[in-house]
Amino acid sequence: MCGIVGYVGYQNAVDILLDGLKHLEYRGYDSSGIALMSNGEIKVYKALGKLQNLVDTMKKEKITSCNTGIGHIRWATHGLPTLANAHPHSCNCKGLTLVHNGIIENYQEIKETLIKNGAIFKSQTDTEVAAQLIAFEYGKTNDLVQAVSSAVSKLKGAWAFCVMHKNEPETIVATRKNAPLLIGAGENENFLSSDIAAIIKYTKKAIYLNDGQITKISKDKIQIFNEDLTPASNRMEILPFEAHSLSKMGYKHFMLKEIHEQPDVVRNILQDKIKDEISDIALNGVNLDINSLKKINRIQIIACGTSLHAGLVGKYVIEDLTGIPVSVEASSEYIYRRSIADENTLVIGISQSGETADTITAIKQVKEKGAHVLIITNRKESLLSRLSDSLFHINAGIEVSVAATKSYTAQLVSIYLLGIFIAQTLNMDKKRIQEIKHELLTLPSKLEAVLSGELTIKKLAKKYSGFKNFIFIARGINYPTALEGALKLKEISYINATGYPAGELKHGPIAMLDETMPVLAILNKGIVYDKVMSNCEEAYARQAKLIGVANEIDERHKELFDDFVIIPPVSDIVSPALNVTVLQLFAYFIAEYLGKDVDQPRNLAKSVTVE
Ligand code: F6R
């Protein structure tokens, strides 16, 4: 996690660094800091808490004449969120300063050696160890690229570093391993950042560093070196995102804006893939043909958090459409047991950011076993994309709110398309495929209908905002929707919410039900409607307040419910993509009503780049 940014050019570095960090705030926000280099001197400024505190500090400093600097926004891993632990970190003589994203696993042993050589540590971080180590190596060569190279050869873990040394004015040296870092190429100015978002406003030209490569940038020169320090010539890429993705466009929060973008996001994915209900769909980037698919005897889906919930929906969809057995597992669990993936396994990794460390590790493991790796992600330039044999870019546009919304819906739609693609390639039930295509084509307008009813959900959210616990129930393909709705509520309002398969209620959780525990039930008209309704009867008998999310509620059942939200009719299989919008809005309006920091909930970061 954490965000890093670097700038060398002709503009005021303070403005560029603070603006860059603003766009990286979703990566962490425990503390922030910048280091500025001018006249052979490096000065470091830090602030605790939100970035605004650093902005206020820098306003007082009134620095306008510095054109080189590095910045950092922190999500604490080693050491408390204190000023001493905030980045940038420097060596003892303050000649070298760096910012770091990642975790250095062997920092303790290196620290002990450095202490024996006279280093004095002021923080509890692994990052300060890197700063002292690079400075130690610099003492041997007086060359920053060489010093960084020999220092990182001693490290284990994951990192992206931006390093400045006072003897190398108007220059930044940077490197990465298993953590993202890109170079933004400008006119008479160059940038470094852990994410496009920090630099897109200034340049659309980017160069991605490969694992182990080192770069040295000045305002008019970009040099790249391979791990063995031979010169490298990486490809220049044109960045995809428009700056307007980074604006709230009049909405109070990014989360609300992103929820409202969902109809267009779905249209966008479907646009070039489904022409009509009859024609075959085309998935560019998915390198699976009839011969490779015939070999596949099992599918494993690996993901974390919200992406894991999309994977759980994927199990229902792919098994229903293709009959191929699908297992779904949290990446962090998958890594530490014997994997049975082999060359007849299709492994689907789902990740909005494409940077999630647990998913990256799991995917690297299955690649070694010869499985075909298909990645579904919103970041086609990400580390996971680069590991893929097949890539499904969900193209949802940048998602700024830490709580994932539109990327989840886009992941769901991608999974429907993938299921259809596999089924059509294997010549399976054409009629069923056509029905699902029809449902997908009508999904955007149904999403619009749900969004136009948001006032009802807002009122409901206000009514229920005082409760401390919720249970969300559903069955079948909407069980993951219950999990996702509960996760959204927990994440942004800090209210305890648990998702259960409705049939499990009587196997334990029912013990908790009384008038203080609202039950939200997802009741689409379909094969499990009557069953979920019976579970609602059980909850009603225990005085629980009941909220129904349904296409319609029969007259005879209406009295069970304190409240309901009626959504357009939709087939069972596509219903998760519609139902989830109601739950996203419910969570959003509760958090907003309670005055929570919706876009940047406490303790969370958008990209979880540590295991
Ligand atoms: C929840 C959320 C997280 C992520 C999880 C995986 O709103 O965003 O649960 O889904 O950290 O992240 P990605 O999808 O980037 O791998």
Side-chain angles (χ1 to χ4, degrees):
M1 355 265 250
C2 305
I4 58 181
V5 61
Y7 177 74
V8 198
Y10 62 90
Q11 303 192 57
N12 180 11
V14 178
D15 296 343
I16 306 269
L17 295 175
L18 291 178
D19 185 56
L21 292 179
K22 179 103 211 90
H23 291 114
L24 296 177
E25 258 190 308
Y26 69 88
R27 300 179 73 95
Y29 27 79
D30 295 333
S31 59
S32 52
I34 58 174
L36 301 170
M37 174 154 67
S38 65
N39 304 323
E41 204 190 352
I42 299 175
K43 282 197 176 152
V44 174
Y45 305 86
K46 300 181 184 184
L48 274 185
K50 289 286 180 128
L51 181 66
Q52 189 55 42
N53 299 336
L54 182 66
V55 173
D56 295 342
T57 307
M58 297 315 296
K59 259 190 206 137
K60 286 183 208 135
E61 295 288 336
K62 293 195 182 105
I63 297 165
T64 53
S65 58
C66 177
N67 310 118
T68 309
I70 53 180
H72 186 270
I73 190 134
R74 181 166 187 248
W75 187 88
T77 55
H78 291 70
L80 295 170
T82 59
L83 266 191
N85 289 337
H87 300 215
H89 287 282
S90 307
C91 65
N92 286 156
C93 76
K94 305 220 182 315
L96 180 142
T97 297
L98 59 74
V99 288
H100 166 218
N101 173 21
I103 286 186
I104 300 163
E105 287 160 6
N106 58 339
Y107 79 105
Q108 277 297 6
E109 57 191 82
I110 297 175
K111 190 171 182 176
E112 279 156 29
T113 316
L114 288 165
I115 289 172
K116 282 187 197 133
N117 284 308
I120 299 163
F121 286 87
K122 299 180 196 70
S123 78
Q124 301 156 305
T125 62
D126 51 343
T127 304
E128 193 186 0
V129 174
Q132 302 266 23
L133 179 65
I134 300 173
F136 180 73
E137 295 296 330
Y138 189 87
K140 297 181 193 166
T141 58
N142 281 333
D143 181 284
L144 193 50
V145 170
Q146 277 188 28
V148 167
S149 164
S150 50
V152 295
S153 71
K154 299 180 173 63
L155 302 180
K156 289 192 192 127
W159 55 79
F161 292 118
C162 291
V163 194
M164 298 192 302
H165 196 288
K166 65 175 183 166
N167 294 350
E168 306 208 4
E170 301 187 350
T171 306
I172 305 173
V173 171
T175 188
R176 62 163 281 255
K177 189 188 157 208
N178 290 338
L181 187 70
L182 74 149
I183 307 164
E187 291 293 316
N188 235 354
E189 58 182 352
N190 287 310
F191 306 79
L192 289 158
S193 176
S194 43
D195 194 345
I196 295 171
I199 59 171
I200 187 74
K201 207 164 139 186
Y202 307 101
T203 179
K204 283 201 163 48
K205 291 196 266 169
I207 303 169
Y208 290 92
L209 283 185
N210 297 329
D211 258 4
Q213 286 187 320
I214 301 179
T215 183
K216 179 175 181 175
I217 65 162
S218 55
K219 70 177 177 183
D220 45 16
K221 197 165 174 189
I222 297 171
Q223 291 169 275
I224 300 174
F225 306 94
N226 294 316
E227 219 161 343
D228 59 4
L229 294 187
T230 52
S233 51
N234 296 19
R235 200 158 53 93
M236 178 90 76
E237 296 186 25
I238 301 302
L239 295 175
F241 295 120
E242 295 302 326
H244 71 76
S245 305
L246 306 174
S247 134
K248 288 191 199 136
M249 309 288 280
Y251 287 96
K252 185 168 177 193
H253 293 103
F254 279 107
M255 182 175 175
L256 189 60
K257 174 192 164 223
E258 287 158 6
I259 291 173
H260 276 263
E261 281 171 352
Q262 293 181 115
D264 282 341
V265 165
V266 175
R267 277 191 193 100
N268 199 23
I269 309 178
L270 297 179
Q271 197 181 32
D272 57 339
K273 299 185 181 73
I274 303 190
K275 274 208 248 43
D276 51 51
E277 287 156 31
I278 315 278
S279 319
D280 277 357
I281 63 164
L283 295 184
N284 289 336
V286 174
N287 303 315
L288 289 165
D289 58 14
I290 183 148
N291 294 327
S292 45
L293 281 171
K294 270 189 175 159
K295 275 192 352 203
I296 300 295
N297 56 21
R298 99 165 47 90
I299 296 178
Q300 296 186 326
I301 303 184
I302 312 174
C304 302
T306 290
S307 299
L308 180 65
H309 298 155
L312 288 169
V313 175
K315 176 180 167 67
Y316 288 85
V317 174
I318 297 173
E319 285 189 351
D320 179 337
L321 279 169
T322 71
I324 303 172
V326 181
S327 62
V328 188
E329 197 166 344
S331 315
S332 51
E333 290 298 313
Y334 189 93
I335 301 168
Y336 297 105
R337 64 179 182 82
R338 181 176 155 216
S339 159
I340 53 165
D342 60 21
E343 56 284 354
N344 298 324
T345 312
L346 169 64
V347 174
I348 304 177
I350 310 178
S351 172
Q352 177 279 129
S353 63
E355 276 181 25
T356 301
D358 287 319
T359 308
I360 290 172
T361 307
I363 291 296
K364 282 184 177 166
Q365 285 179 5
V366 298
K367 269 187 89 77
E368 276 174 22
K369 296 188 165 267
H372 185 102
V373 167
L374 187 150
I375 298 295
I376 298 178
T377 183
N378 201 21
R379 306 305 281 269
K380 65 172 190 246
E381 72 289 351
S382 64
L383 293 178
L384 271 173
S385 303
R386 285 153 204 243
L387 290 172
S388 67
D389 300 307
S390 289
L391 181 65
F392 196 128
H393 178 218
I394 64 173
N395 208 3
I398 197 161
E399 189 174 64
V400 177
S401 163
V402 166
T405 54
K406 65 174 178 174
S407 64
Y408 178 69
T409 306
Q411 286 168 348
L412 292 184
V413 174
S414 309
I415 283 163
Y416 291 122
L417 291 171
L418 188 63
I420 293 173
F421 177 80
I422 298 175
Q424 101 191 353
T425 312
L426 294 173
N427 291 317
M428 291 182 160
D429 193 344
K430 283 201 169 50
K431 191 161 165 286
R432 180 96 179 108
I433 293 174
Q434 279 174 23
E435 277 164 18
I436 299 174
K437 281 190 201 160
H438 171 80
E439 283 292 316
L440 286 174
L441 290 168
T442 55
L443 182 61
S445 58
K446 291 178 186 173
L447 283 166
E448 273 159 0
V450 170
L451 291 168
S452 68
E454 78 175 13
L455 200 58
T456 316
I457 304 170
K458 189 173 180 173
K459 284 186 190 146
L460 215 62
K462 185 173 173 190
K463 176 172 167 188
Y464 286 90
S465 59
F467 287 89
K468 299 281 174 268
N469 296 289
F470 283 81
I471 288 186
F472 287 32
I473 57 167
R475 280 183 180 226
I477 197 164
N478 277 297
Y479 164 49
T481 313
L483 294 176
E484 176 58 11
L487 178 67
K488 286 285 95 81
L489 188 58
K490 277 188 280 223
E491 278 183 296
I492 60 170
S493 69
Y494 322 137
I495 291 171
N496 180 37
T498 317
Y500 281 109
E504 279 291 296
L505 208 55
K506 55 184 160 303
H507 297 289
I510 201 163
M512 298 188 297
L513 295 191
D514 62 17
E515 65 289 350
T516 66
M517 176 77 81
V519 174
L520 186 148
I522 302 168
L523 293 133
N524 292 93
K525 271 284 182 197
I527 50 169
V528 292
Y529 175 83
D530 289 333
K531 294 288 172 196
V532 182
M533 197 56 92
S534 306
N535 303 127
C536 289
E537 302 253 18
E538 292 157 12
Y540 176 76
R542 272 84 193 170
Q543 278 98 47
K545 299 219 171 310
L546 265 173
I547 308 164
V549 177
N551 308 122
E552 60 173 283
I553 306 255
D554 305 330
E555 256 339 291
R556 68 197 166 97
H557 286 129
K558 276 198 173 139
E559 62 165 38
L560 296 181
F561 293 88
D562 293 271
D563 292 283
F564 35 79
V565 180
I566 300 297
I567 61 168
V570 60
S571 72
D572 254 354
I573 193 159
V574 174
S575 61
L578 195 61
N579 293 332
V580 76
T581 309
V582 176
L583 307 193
Q584 291 166 346
L585 286 169
F586 186 65
Y588 170 78
F589 284 120
I590 289 190
E592 194 244 1
Y593 184 71
L594 296 175
K596 303 294 182 204
D597 191 345
V598 174
D599 285 335
Q600 292 172 355
R602 71 182 180 206
N603 304 341
L604 295 180
K606 184 102 188 128
S607 304
V608 185
T609 54
V610 292
E611 277 180 25

